[in-house]
Amino acid sequence: LIFALEQSTDTNSSERWARVEGGGDAVAFGDAFVNTVDRDDLIIGDASWNNGAGRVGIFQLAQTGGDHDWNTVAVSYEAAEAGDRLGEQLAFFQGDGVYSSILMIGAPGTDAGRGAVYILQLNAGGDSGSREVTSASYGVVTSRDYVVNASLGGSITGWSGGDGGLFGVYGASRQQGRFGPETGEIAISPIGTIDILNTATHRYIGAGAGDRFATALATDDVDGDGLNEVMVSAPGRDTTAGNDAGTIYLLAGSLIESNFAVGDQEYEMDQASITIEGDAERRGLGRDITLDGRTLFASAWLAECEGEDPGSVYVFDLSSPGTFVASDAQRVIVGEP
């Protein structure tokens, strides 16, 4: 549902401005969605469609509002094979010039779970119709070392540089590293020209097997120095609070920039300037994260949702570097059982 809100108020579905329905396998419809800002379009992923092949639809809502479904979609991109999970993650960058209107689409199930990220440049003049994403993409990011079930594209973020360039951050939470299976990895790379990318400028890996590092990603200029920080979660990380308590890391923009100069290297999480650890066994801190300036929103819930676990969202102020625990949060929002 999409609401038009002019002030803080309680709103129910009868007051909606627009509604978009999945119309198919609804398990994952809307799990990922972004808007195109200037173009006022809504881009929605439907990763469970057609036996998990997945699809992505662009809905033009700016002038119409009202009810929509896949019969009114302006343009849609579809995966080639069942299980690709196309559209499980999305990222959109307005940008400018040659890097304007860039859409990144994650398909973590493609190629036996190795995963991929498709990079598209949306047509500013408007697109229409349906097509396979492989026929429309300007670039493809593929799994490093082609590890089966690495799940590349299960998380995506990035930022536009001041010179009009674009930097992509691609997560593979089940990548097997030197610490063992499901260590997880992120790859960061500038897109100098829109073409096929197979390797990254540099990579950061989880701290141990089963960490599922890169489950969620977020970027913003946290410290106000003009450089974007990267926040990475590892909800499977064991801490002193217990197994799978979860951990979130912040990589400083100045560190990332200096590592760019070195070239293709692998770095560990001892380079993080802020580390936040879960405060209870199996809490899974960092199942999702959002950055807004120096404010971090991080969710946590039991992996199996056993008993009456209500789930929580922690709100952190990232003003100071160091190592913290979830109980240090400025605010905790607890759900209902």
Side-chain angles (χ1 to χ4, degrees):
L1 296 180
I2 303 96
F3 297 96
L5 302 181
E6 295 183 356
Q7 59 184 353
S8 249
T9 182
D10 291 336
T11 304
N12 59 47
S13 60
S14 66
E15 298 170 320
R16 66 182 182 266
W17 171 70
R19 175 188 177 99
V20 183
E21 294 185 342
D25 298 328
V27 176
F29 175 77
D31 277 1
F33 62 90
V34 292
N35 70 290
T36 59
V37 186
D38 291 346
R39 293 182 62 203
D40 294 320
D41 294 342
L42 185 70
I43 306 174
I44 303 178
D46 187 4
S48 61
W49 176 77
N50 193 19
N51 296 315
R55 59 183 175 180
V56 174
I58 302 178
F59 296 85
Q60 297 175 341
L61 305 181
Q63 304 300 323
T64 59
D67 291 347
H68 292 262
D69 57 29
W70 285 96
N71 292 319
T72 63
V73 68
V75 60
S76 64
Y77 301 99
E78 300 176 358
E81 298 182 7
D84 283 359
R85 304 201 327 262
L86 182 78
E88 187 164 303
Q89 288 293 326
L90 302 170
F92 177 80
F93 307 93
Q94 192 68 39
D96 53 36
V98 68
Y99 306 107
S100 64
S101 300
I102 301 299
L103 175 64
M104 295 182 180
I105 305 175
T110 192
D111 193 14
R114 293 174 175 86
V117 176
Y118 298 98
I119 303 173
L120 288 71
Q121 186 167 38
L122 302 184
N123 183 356
D127 292 309
S128 62
S130 298
R131 66 209 70 182
E132 285 193 4
V133 70
T134 51
S135 67
S137 67
Y138 279 73
V140 183
V141 182
T142 55
S143 176
R144 188 177 188 88
D145 303 325
Y146 299 98
V147 176
V148 172
N149 293 324
S151 294
L152 179 75
S155 56
I156 317 168
T157 189
W159 65 91
S160 298
D163 58 355
L166 179 64
F167 295 82
V169 186
Y170 315 103
S173 64
R174 298 185 183 275
Q175 175 81 358
Q176 178 167 330
R178 63 175 180 270
F179 297 126
E182 296 191 354
T183 295
E185 173 183 297
I186 63 170
I188 304 178
S189 184
I191 302 177
T193 57
I194 302 174
D195 57 7
I196 295 177
L197 307 174
N198 290 307
T199 60
T201 303
H202 56 281
R203 295 160 287 123
Y204 300 87
I205 63 172
D211 281 6
R212 299 192 305 281
F213 177 76
T215 292
L217 298 170
T219 59
D220 208 339
D221 183 5
V222 173
D223 55 15
D225 65 352
L227 301 174
N228 277 61
E229 277 66 48
V230 175
M231 208 105 205
V232 192
S233 75
R237 179 70 178 161
D238 299 341
T239 74
T240 55
N243 294 338
D244 295 335
T247 302
I248 302 172
Y249 305 93
L250 183 138
L251 299 169
S254 56
L255 168 72
I256 293 171
E257 188 169 82
S258 64
N259 287 342
F260 271 132
V262 177
D264 185 7
Q265 296 287 332
E266 179 182 272
Y267 299 97
E268 297 182 19
M269 281 302 96
D270 56 7
Q271 290 201 331
S273 58
I274 295 178
T275 300
I276 304 172
E277 298 179 346
D279 55 359
E281 186 171 14
R282 297 193 305 118
R283 283 300 288 160
L285 180 68
R287 296 193 187 280
D288 202 1
I289 55 177
T290 300
L291 267 177
D292 183 7
R294 68 182 187 183
T295 303
L296 168 68
F297 303 85
S299 64
W301 63 87
L302 290 176
E304 296 82 12
C305 293
E306 294 176 346
E308 294 188 350
D309 173 49
S312 300
V313 175
Y314 297 84
V315 184
F316 300 94
D317 185 301
L318 304 179
S319 299
S320 303
T323 298
F324 307 95
V325 294
S327 57
D328 294 326
Q330 276 63 49
R331 185 176 181 186
V332 181
I333 305 166
V334 181
E336 296 181 359

mmCIF file of all heavy atoms in Angstrom, residues 241-245 278-284 302:
data_model
loop_
_atom_site.group_PDB
_atom_site.id
_atom_site.type_symbol
_atom_site.label_atom_id
_atom_site.label_comp_id
_atom_site.label_asym_id
_atom_site.label_seq_id
_atom_site.Cartn_x
_atom_site.Cartn_y
_atom_site.Cartn_z
ATOM 1 N N ALA A 241 27.307 -12.772 24.338
ATOM 2 C CA ALA A 241 25.927 -12.955 24.779
ATOM 3 C C ALA A 241 25.371 -14.312 24.369
ATOM 4 O O ALA A 241 24.339 -14.739 24.896
ATOM 5 C CB ALA A 241 25.037 -11.849 24.219
ATOM 6 N N GLY A 242 26.021 -14.980 23.420
ATOM 7 C CA GLY A 242 25.558 -16.294 23.004
ATOM 8 C C GLY A 242 25.661 -16.505 21.512
ATOM 9 O O GLY A 242 26.031 -15.603 20.751
ATOM 10 N N ASN A 243 25.339 -17.702 21.076
ATOM 11 C CA ASN A 243 25.392 -18.044 19.658
ATOM 12 C C ASN A 243 24.336 -17.263 18.871
ATOM 13 O O ASN A 243 23.218 -17.055 19.343
ATOM 14 C CB ASN A 243 25.161 -19.542 19.468
ATOM 15 C CG ASN A 243 26.274 -20.389 20.054
ATOM 16 O OD1 ASN A 243 27.392 -19.912 20.245
ATOM 17 N ND2 ASN A 243 25.970 -21.637 20.356
ATOM 18 N N ASP A 244 24.717 -16.861 17.661
ATOM 19 C CA ASP A 244 23.810 -16.167 16.745
ATOM 20 C C ASP A 244 23.207 -14.905 17.352
ATOM 21 O O ASP A 244 22.098 -14.496 16.988
ATOM 22 C CB ASP A 244 22.676 -17.088 16.289
ATOM 23 C CG ASP A 244 23.178 -18.266 15.463
ATOM 24 O OD1 ASP A 244 24.252 -18.136 14.850
ATOM 25 O OD2 ASP A 244 22.500 -19.303 15.431
ATOM 26 N N ALA A 245 23.919 -14.262 18.250
ATOM 27 C CA ALA A 245 23.433 -12.995 18.806
ATOM 28 C C ALA A 245 23.426 -11.911 17.739
ATOM 29 O O ALA A 245 22.588 -11.019 17.757
ATOM 30 C CB ALA A 245 24.300 -12.565 19.994
ATOM 31 N N GLY A 278 24.882 -8.153 19.324
ATOM 32 C CA GLY A 278 23.605 -8.539 19.897
ATOM 33 C C GLY A 278 23.725 -8.831 21.376
ATOM 34 O O GLY A 278 24.804 -9.199 21.869
ATOM 35 N N ASP A 279 22.615 -8.693 22.103
ATOM 36 C CA ASP A 279 22.665 -8.808 23.562
ATOM 37 C C ASP A 279 21.980 -10.056 24.090
ATOM 38 O O ASP A 279 21.764 -10.179 25.300
ATOM 39 C CB ASP A 279 22.044 -7.566 24.210
ATOM 40 C CG ASP A 279 20.616 -7.296 23.722
ATOM 41 O OD1 ASP A 279 20.130 -8.073 22.866
ATOM 42 O OD2 ASP A 279 20.014 -6.321 24.181
ATOM 43 N N ALA A 280 21.631 -11.005 23.222
ATOM 44 C CA ALA A 280 20.997 -12.238 23.673
ATOM 45 C C ALA A 280 21.236 -13.334 22.650
ATOM 46 O O ALA A 280 21.381 -13.063 21.456
ATOM 47 C CB ALA A 280 19.501 -12.039 23.902
ATOM 48 N N GLU A 281 21.266 -14.563 23.108
ATOM 49 C CA GLU A 281 21.491 -15.699 22.222
ATOM 50 C C GLU A 281 20.390 -15.795 21.173
ATOM 51 O O GLU A 281 19.210 -15.608 21.466
ATOM 52 C CB GLU A 281 21.535 -16.992 23.037
ATOM 53 C CG GLU A 281 21.900 -18.208 22.209
ATOM 54 C CD GLU A 281 22.147 -19.442 23.060
ATOM 55 O OE1 GLU A 281 21.780 -19.420 24.255
ATOM 56 O OE2 GLU A 281 22.699 -20.413 22.524
ATOM 57 N N ARG A 282 20.801 -16.019 19.922
ATOM 58 C CA ARG A 282 19.926 -16.211 18.761
ATOM 59 C C ARG A 282 19.043 -15.007 18.468
ATOM 60 O O ARG A 282 18.025 -15.135 17.784
ATOM 61 C CB ARG A 282 19.067 -17.475 18.939
ATOM 62 C CG ARG A 282 19.884 -18.740 19.029
ATOM 63 C CD ARG A 282 19.065 -20.001 18.886
ATOM 64 N NE ARG A 282 17.977 -20.083 19.836
ATOM 65 C CZ ARG A 282 16.697 -20.136 19.480
ATOM 66 N NH1 ARG A 282 16.357 -20.100 18.207
ATOM 67 N NH2 ARG A 282 15.761 -20.228 20.398
ATOM 68 N N ARG A 283 19.437 -13.823 18.916
ATOM 69 C CA ARG A 283 18.659 -12.633 18.606
ATOM 70 C C ARG A 283 18.804 -12.249 17.150
ATOM 71 O O ARG A 283 17.900 -11.671 16.551
ATOM 72 C CB ARG A 283 19.091 -11.450 19.486
ATOM 73 C CG ARG A 283 18.574 -11.513 20.882
ATOM 74 C CD ARG A 283 17.060 -11.538 20.920
ATOM 75 N NE ARG A 283 16.454 -10.258 20.578
ATOM 76 C CZ ARG A 283 15.203 -10.111 20.182
ATOM 77 N NH1 ARG A 283 14.427 -11.156 20.035
ATOM 78 N NH2 ARG A 283 14.705 -8.933 19.911
ATOM 79 N N GLY A 284 19.936 -12.526 16.531
ATOM 80 C CA GLY A 284 20.103 -12.220 15.112
ATOM 81 C C GLY A 284 20.079 -10.733 14.827
ATOM 82 O O GLY A 284 19.415 -10.281 13.886
ATOM 83 N N LEU A 302 14.271 -13.858 16.617
ATOM 84 C CA LEU A 302 14.754 -15.227 16.622
ATOM 85 C C LEU A 302 14.638 -15.835 15.235
ATOM 86 O O LEU A 302 13.648 -15.630 14.541
ATOM 87 C CB LEU A 302 13.956 -16.076 17.612
ATOM 88 C CG LEU A 302 14.182 -15.783 19.108
ATOM 89 C CD1 LEU A 302 13.237 -16.639 19.932
ATOM 90 C CD2 LEU A 302 15.620 -16.063 19.504
#
